[in-house]
Amino acid sequence: MQILAGLGNPGAKYANNRHNVGFMAADAIARRHSFSPWSKKFQAEVAEGRLGGDKVLLVKPQTFMNLSGQAVGEALRFYKLDPSAVTVLYDELDLVPGKIRVKVGGGSGGHNGIRSLDQHIGQNYRRVRIGVGHPGAKEMVHNHVLGDFSKADREWLEVLLDSIAGAADMLVKGDDSGFMNRVTLTLRDKLQPTGEDDTPPPKQKPAKAQSHIRQARPQQPTAKLPETGPMAAMLKKLLGKD
């Protein structure tokens, strides 16, 4: 058995926050793979199911982010599992929006949920870091992570979450590189930029469209990568372009 834990804060107030992208990923996995209904256990909401033939427990700690390790630790001890059986999905400031990285072990990087997990179960667990971008200044971080994803963000976020859910079986198998590659390729195939900022494109002037990222069919080659601006930098990093 393996545990997949998505981190976030409980309650409607926080539901759409960037800090709750781990909860969103867990929900996407549960929907995609027909897990059991969510129930309360281990100071968390849990759902059971299978990924690639392996039994998996999805966990969403309800202790608030800073105490996430309490809930995951309880589940780990109840099932007598080693920390290596745990995979945690959470928001990462140091990755551009939409980019993911997977690693085992390491420091908390200032993330309070990860710091709590390290305290309760050690550091030998898999971390799926989901990029939400950095606001640019330390004093802006709190409001950034506790702020909601914008309407424009939702376009790429929904594709990302669906991609994570679709490749979740690879996480259970321990194929971290395969997981990252599949998610990245899906994003590249399904998303196509149409401008440099978040301004919606005017209906009468599609050539000057200024939306964030729009879902597009792969066979439509007319959209052009922005050469400058924040979206250009994000997409170059996300798609590995120099």
Side-chain angles (χ1 to χ4, degrees):
M1 182 178 190
Q2 296 198 40
I3 294 174
L4 296 187
L7 303 190
N9 288 310
K13 176 182 177 180
Y14 304 101
N16 295 312
N17 287 181
R18 294 178 181 87
H19 220 21
N20 272 40
V21 73
F23 274 11
M24 297 175 194
D27 286 334
I29 293 170
R31 288 192 301 269
R32 178 70 170 266
H33 299 279
S34 301
F35 272 55
S36 69
W38 293 99
S39 60
K40 295 185 181 299
K41 195 174 184 179
F42 312 125
Q43 300 183 71
E45 289 187 354
V46 300
E48 296 181 355
R50 289 187 175 274
L51 292 172
D54 294 318
K55 188 174 182 180
V56 173
L57 182 75
L58 283 172
V59 177
K60 295 192 296 183
Q62 301 295 291
T63 52
F64 285 93
M65 183 67 81
N66 293 6
L67 300 176
S68 298
Q70 292 183 2
V72 177
E74 281 191 31
L76 196 70
R77 290 187 293 273
F78 180 86
Y79 291 106
K80 296 180 173 61
L81 298 173
D82 186 84
S84 61
V86 175
T87 297
V88 180
L89 303 101
Y90 64 99
D91 58 298
E92 175 58 71
L93 285 166
D94 293 332
L95 292 176
V96 297
K99 193 163 190 173
I100 62 166
R101 284 289 180 267
V102 182
K103 68 175 183 177
V104 175
S108 67
H111 194 288
N112 290 332
I114 297 301
R115 182 179 292 115
S116 176
L117 277 153
D118 289 351
Q119 292 171 350
H120 284 270
I121 69 172
Q123 297 181 330
N124 189 35
Y125 58 90
R126 181 178 289 103
R127 303 138 192 256
V128 180
R129 303 155 62 209
I130 304 172
V132 297
H134 197 288
K138 185 177 180 181
E139 59 270 21
M140 299 171 64
V141 166
H142 179 79
N143 289 337
H144 180 70
V145 297
L146 292 181
D148 288 355
F149 283 106
S150 70
K151 184 178 180 180
D153 286 334
R154 301 298 302 193
E155 296 184 50
W156 61 260
L157 179 63
E158 289 175 6
V159 176
L160 175 65
L161 295 174
D162 187 60
S163 301
I164 290 173
D169 61 315
M170 303 184 84
L171 282 176
V172 173
K173 294 176 183 176
D175 186 359
D176 298 344
S177 295
F179 170 80
M180 288 188 287
N181 288 339
R182 184 186 292 181
V183 172
T184 300
L185 288 172
T186 302
L187 285 169
R188 186 187 67 184
D189 291 343
K190 290 188 176 182
L191 297 178
Q192 196 156 322
T194 57
E196 297 178 4
D197 56 33
D198 291 340
T199 306
K203 293 182 179 179
Q204 302 302 320
K205 298 179 180 181
K208 296 182 180 180
Q210 295 289 309
S211 63
H212 190 285
I213 296 179
R214 294 178 63 86
Q215 187 168 346
R217 296 174 181 171
Q219 66 266 30
Q220 293 180 330
T222 54
K224 186 179 180 181
L225 279 171
E227 297 180 356
T228 61
M231 279 305 303
M234 188 201 86
L235 286 163
K236 287 177 182 179
K237 291 180 181 178
L238 177 61
L239 300 178
K241 295 182 179 296
D242 296 327

